[in-house]
Amino acid sequence: MKKLLILIVLLVGSISFANAQNSDHFTFKGIPINGSVSNFGNQLVADGFTKIATNTYRGKFLRNDSVVTLVGDDNNMVWRVAAIMANTDTWNTLEASFNNYVNLYSEKYGAPANLSKKFTSYSGNDSSIKMWELNDGECQYYAIWNLPQGSIEVRIVKGNNYYTGCIRVVYTDNVNKEKVHQSDLDEI
């Protein structure tokens, strides 16, 4: 009986320790951004994603078809996750989606630390010109949340087809980002 009690205490303690370790890490879709890239990818597959290339998966994120790319360090430790939503060729759709995501993340995390909704060389309202400016790299629509466990960036970016754009959401885990940074410092 005494051995059983000790075993239960050790088991509960180890589970609590493991959960505390993961709580230091940011999460994407409830998955801690920690461990190996392949393990993180396996958890995405278990959540319904399909592997389409090395460190790249296709599935649903925020109810949208998305491509998720995992970024790892030299030791294959995941430290950043980027989700890119489907392309659109309509500025109004892009802007509405961006505003929706900013509102959604603000509801959960508060106001973003940085918010920009502008173009560097255009101030008019013509949607066609805004798409042109996006494809020329002149669009600066982004929101960034800096949180204790990491950062989130929502940004309108050029799509993979001419005259298209999409929303990119990037999660960066602070604990593993610092490990990557320290490894870089050790190398120089």
Side-chain angles (χ1 to χ4, degrees), residues 9-35:
V9 168
L10 289 174
L11 181 62
V12 169
S14 65
I15 291 171
S16 297
F17 178 75
N19 285 337
Q21 293 290 76
N22 280 336
S23 70
D24 292 340
H25 292 276
F26 218 22
T27 61
F28 175 82
K29 290 188 62 72
I31 304 168
I33 301 174
N34 192 24

Side-chain angles (χ1 to χ4, degrees), residues 3-183:
K3 288 181 181 179
L4 180 61
L5 182 59
I6 291 171
L7 181 62
I8 290 172
V9 168
L10 289 174
L11 181 62
V12 169
S14 65
I15 291 171
S16 297
F17 178 75
N19 285 337
Q21 293 290 76
N22 280 336
S23 70
D24 292 340
H25 292 276
F26 218 22
T27 61
F28 175 82
K29 290 188 62 72
I31 304 168
I33 301 174
N34 192 24
S36 71
V37 170
S38 58
N39 184 51
F40 193 97
N42 290 339
Q43 291 180 68
L44 284 176
V45 169
D47 192 42
F49 280 73
T50 303
K51 186 172 185 173
I52 58 173
T54 303
N55 300 342
T56 307
Y57 300 82
R58 178 172 284 126
K60 293 284 187 183
F61 177 61
L62 297 173
R63 294 185 324 278
N64 290 288
D65 291 330
S66 304
V67 173
V68 174
T69 301
L70 310 179
V71 179
D73 68 355
D74 293 339
N75 296 318
N76 205 30
M77 173 188 66
V78 67
W79 65 280
R80 180 173 283 162
V81 178
I84 299 176
M85 310 303 183
N87 286 335
T88 183
D89 61 0
T90 308
W91 174 256
N92 292 338
T93 301
L94 272 175
E95 186 176 38
S97 294
F98 175 82
N99 289 331
N100 179 55
Y101 293 136
V102 168
N103 291 336
L104 190 64
Y105 280 96
S106 294
E107 184 177 328
K108 183 168 184 175
Y109 298 113
N114 297 306
L115 177 64
S116 175
K117 293 182 177 183
K118 64 181 182 179
F119 290 87
T120 57
S121 62
Y122 180 69
S123 60
N125 290 320
D126 188 308
S127 295
S128 297
I129 294 175
K130 288 181 178 182
M131 289 301 290
W132 185 271
E133 293 292 303
L134 170 63
N135 278 265
D136 280 349
E138 303 295 328
C139 179
Q140 294 183 0
Y141 268 64
Y142 61 85
I144 300 171
W145 289 262
N146 295 315
L147 305 161
Q149 294 172 315
S151 64
I152 300 171
E153 177 187 286
V154 177
R155 181 180 292 266
I156 295 178
V157 297
K158 179 180 176 180
N160 60 359
N161 297 318
Y162 186 72
Y163 205 72
T164 63
C166 58
I167 304 292
R168 180 181 68 200
V169 181
V170 179
Y171 285 66
T172 302
D173 178 70
N174 279 347
V175 172
N176 290 345
K177 176 183 160 188
E178 181 55 35
K179 288 178 183 177
V180 170
H181 179 70
Q182 189 58 51
S183 176

